[in-house]
Amino acid sequence: MRTDQFQKMLVDLNGSTSDIEASALISVDGLMMSSAMPQGMDEDRVGAMSAALLSMGERTARELARGKLDRVLVQGEDGYVIMTSAGEEAVLTVLARPNAKLGLIFLDIKRAAQALGKII
């Protein structure tokens, strides 16, 4: 039942703007909980990398006295990968287009992460 809720929330997040191409909810140990990703994307790899990057981001923020981590942002020439915590047990990962309006996406991601965190 929760998986259906996760799936609906991810599909809604992807539909909130054309700038978001994909999203996934991943456990902190890197296992895919739910995803709304294109065909052919390796979900196991996405899960493992997302969990590792968020963990490293949290450690970096702490070690360099930057406070509580808000998000990890990876920018490539073909777009963005944005990761944020969804509660204590999960990571929300979003893939966005290269010309995305990041402020609006950050707001949508924050709302989705809070809602997902309450269900987990």
Side-chain angles (χ1 to χ4, degrees):
M1 188 57 154
R2 283 188 335 178
T3 305
D4 293 340
Q5 287 179 294
F6 296 155
Q7 188 68 34
K8 182 184 181 326
M9 293 174 96
L10 293 176
V11 169
D12 288 350
L13 175 60
N14 289 9
S16 67
T17 171
S18 62
D19 289 339
I20 295 178
E21 298 177 300
S23 60
L25 184 65
I26 300 149
S27 69
V28 290
D29 54 1
L31 299 175
M32 189 65 66
M33 297 169 72
S34 186
S35 73
M37 302 195 123
Q39 288 275 280
M41 195 162 280
D42 185 342
E43 290 188 353
D44 291 338
R45 181 173 286 162
V46 171
M49 286 188 296
S50 295
L53 276 169
L54 192 75
S55 176
M56 184 61 79
E58 288 171 343
R59 182 173 176 195
T60 301
R62 185 175 59 249
E63 295 281 334
L64 299 179
R66 301 295 97 185
K68 184 179 178 295
L69 180 71
D70 191 24
R71 74 183 66 88
V72 173
L73 175 76
V74 177
Q75 181 179 3
E77 62 185 29
D78 295 328
Y80 298 92
V81 181
I82 306 158
M83 288 152 278
T84 192
S85 294
E88 297 289 315
E89 301 297 318
V91 179
L92 175 60
T93 297
V94 172
L95 304 182
R97 299 185 192 288
N99 57 349
K101 295 174 185 67
L102 290 178
L104 295 174
I105 289 178
F106 290 162
L107 186 61
D108 289 340
I109 291 171
K110 185 173 190 170
R111 287 180 182 148
Q114 288 172 342
L116 287 162
K118 289 178 183 171
I119 299 171
I120 299 167

